[in-house]
Amino acid sequence: MGRIIHIGSDHGGFELKSELSAALNRKGYSVDDLGTFSEDSVDYPEYGAKVARAVLKDGDFGIVICGTGIGISIAANRFKGIRAALCHCSEYAKLAREHNDANILALGGRFIDFQTALEITDVFLKTDFLGGRHKRRVDLLDNI
Ligand code: RB5
C-alpha cells in the first residue's frame, strides 16, 4: 500500500489514536505517529499543527483526534492547503473526500467508538475526490 498516514491527538484522543494507529499498521499503512504519547493533559493546537505541517510537506493524509474533534480540526484548518473534516459517520467521510477533497480526517475520541472510527477511516482513505465543479470550489478555499 505504501501510503503514509500522519496521526496526532491530544490526551482526549490518545486512546482512540493508539487503537487506530495499530489497526492502520495491521492494514499495511505506514503510520507516522506525531503524539501525544500518554493521557497527560496537553494542548490540542500543538498536535493539530504538527499533523497539518506533515501533510503539507508530504502530500499525504492526516488524522487528528481530540475529545470532540473540534479544537484540533480548527487548529489544522488554520493552515492554507489543509482541509480537515470532522466526521461522525462514514457518509460524512465519503462526502468529505468526494466533495471537499479533505486531506485530514478529524475524529472525536470521546464521542465515537473504535469500530465506528475504523469504518470512518477506511471510507476516508479509500474514497477519491470527484473533481469537476467541486474542484472549482475547493480551489476557491485557498483564495479566501
Ligand atoms: C480537552 O479537555 C478537550 O477540550 C479537547 O480534547 C477537545 O475536545 C477540544 O476541542
Side-chain angles (χ1 to χ4, degrees):
M1 194 162 298
R3 180 182 258 169
I4 298 175
I5 312 293
H6 306 284
I7 192 166
S9 77
D10 73 352
H11 53 289
F14 171 72
E15 187 180 345
L16 181 59
K17 175 172 72 64
S18 305
E19 294 172 322
L20 208 48
S21 297
L24 290 171
N25 267 318
R26 285 195 297 274
K27 283 173 179 279
Y29 292 97
S30 299
V31 179
D32 172 31
D33 189 342
L34 297 167
T36 187
F37 298 108
S38 79
E39 288 187 350
D40 294 346
S41 183
V42 292
D43 299 324
Y44 60 78
E46 193 184 325
Y47 295 90
K50 279 179 196 276
V51 173
R53 289 194 180 102
V55 168
L56 288 174
K57 183 164 173 277
D58 297 345
D60 291 307
F61 283 139
I63 300 174
V64 293
I65 312 173
C66 65
T68 58
I70 295 172
I72 203 161
S73 61
I74 291 172
N77 277 318
R78 291 291 173 99
F79 290 77
K80 186 172 181 177
I82 291 298
R83 292 172 301 279
L86 175 56
C87 298
H88 301 289
C89 62
S90 46
E91 288 85 355
Y92 265 50
K94 182 170 183 280
L95 289 168
R97 288 288 308 126
E98 285 184 347
H99 289 196
N100 310 113
D101 198 16
N103 49 10
I104 293 184
L105 168 64
L107 298 168
R110 291 178 177 148
F111 289 86
I112 51 169
D113 60 28
F114 167 63
Q115 201 51 49
T116 306
L118 191 56
E119 282 166 27
I120 291 171
T121 304
D122 274 341
V123 171
F124 188 88
L125 296 177
K126 286 179 183 157
T127 304
D128 291 326
F129 179 45
L130 288 178
R133 69 185 188 281
H134 302 296
K135 169 138 179 43
R136 185 182 71 249
R137 293 163 185 162
V138 167
D139 288 345
L140 285 169
L141 290 171
D142 285 335
N143 294 313
I144 289 173

